[in-house]
Amino acid sequence: MEEISMRSGQSHIRIGKIAGIFGLKGEIVLQHALGTPNLEGLEKIFIKDKSGRLLPWFVAAVRPKNNEETYLKLEDIAVPEKARPLLQKEVWLSEDDFKRYASKSSPISLLGYTVKDGKQVLGTIQEIIEQPHQLLCRITVQGREVFIPLHEESLKKIDHRYKNITVSLPDGLLEVYLG
């Protein structure tokens, strides 16, 4: 669900999407994976244009809904019709805003952590995919995309201080990806 994109040397992290429009004043419902209802003080979000560039949208007001959704009032959007083109668009935050708002207990906060199988360093988490009974972490190992499951059997330790995750992978899992 989340990935890192570079724009002018600045990192951006995909946190969710615009899931709906609320009310008659063009408020949008931001569905996100930050794990907190409090986005108070958020000044801007980023949405990709048709050419793939991340464009800033300035936030006029924030109202919490729950841990996965927040109401946002964007500048220059005063009616639902102006908000409609934004529906289902992915929403990105600057890396600084991401660090400020992502809950430490939220799976998305594991982006950028190093994954180790025992003592062997495998790679850095580039994306988190949430599934019903586990998380999948996308990393690159020997130039190939690999998905590492994180659940109670494979996850051994999370070290937030040094941003490391230690796993015990099922036999043969890496060979499936690396041939």
Side-chain angles (χ1 to χ4, degrees):
M1 171 180 234
E2 297 74 32
E3 55 195 55
I4 298 175
S5 170
M6 297 299 284
R7 176 182 164 260
S8 309
Q10 183 181 22
S11 294
H12 292 82
I13 299 166
R14 184 170 40 127
I15 59 153
K17 67 179 181 178
I18 296 173
I21 300 170
F22 181 79
L24 300 175
K25 296 182 181 178
E27 271 186 312
I28 60 169
V29 179
L30 169 62
Q31 187 177 53
H32 60 82
L34 296 172
T36 180
N38 186 9
L39 301 182
E40 197 62 43
L42 180 64
E43 295 179 0
K44 62 186 164 188
I45 61 172
F46 293 86
I47 298 174
K48 284 187 180 179
D49 67 6
K50 290 180 182 179
S51 69
R53 292 179 305 158
L54 289 171
L55 298 178
W57 286 80
F58 294 93
V59 178
V62 176
R63 281 191 311 125
K65 182 176 180 190
N66 57 43
N67 283 356
E68 291 89 30
E69 294 181 326
T70 300
Y71 298 112
L72 295 181
K73 178 75 176 100
L74 300 178
E75 289 183 5
D76 300 326
I77 294 184
V79 294
E81 291 74 27
K82 282 197 147 192
R84 201 165 315 288
L86 300 177
L87 281 173
Q88 301 304 312
K89 299 274 186 179
E90 294 177 345
V91 175
W92 302 68
L93 289 184
S94 69
E95 187 174 13
D96 290 342
D97 280 343
F98 173 78
K99 288 176 183 175
R100 179 176 172 196
Y101 293 106
S103 166
K104 295 292 182 214
S105 62
S106 169
I108 196 173
S109 70
L110 300 176
L111 283 174
Y113 278 47
T114 300
V115 178
K116 298 178 179 181
D117 185 14
K119 293 193 183 289
Q120 178 189 3
V121 174
L122 299 177
T124 301
I125 297 176
Q126 299 163 319
E127 181 178 12
I128 300 285
I129 302 165
E130 294 186 59
Q131 296 186 321
H133 300 290
Q134 70 182 0
L135 294 174
L136 286 178
C137 300
R138 182 175 60 86
I139 64 174
T140 301
V141 178
Q142 298 174 9
R144 295 199 176 181
E145 187 174 70
V146 174
F147 293 91
I148 303 294
L150 293 182
H151 51 75
E152 62 183 48
E153 293 174 18
S154 65
L155 181 61
K156 298 304 174 197
K157 180 181 176 188
I158 298 177
D159 182 343
H160 292 289
R161 182 175 181 192
Y162 295 105
K163 294 190 172 192
N164 289 319
I165 295 177
T166 304
V167 296
S168 177
L169 295 180
D171 291 338
L173 179 69
L174 282 180
E175 289 75 19
V176 169
Y177 292 103
L178 303 178

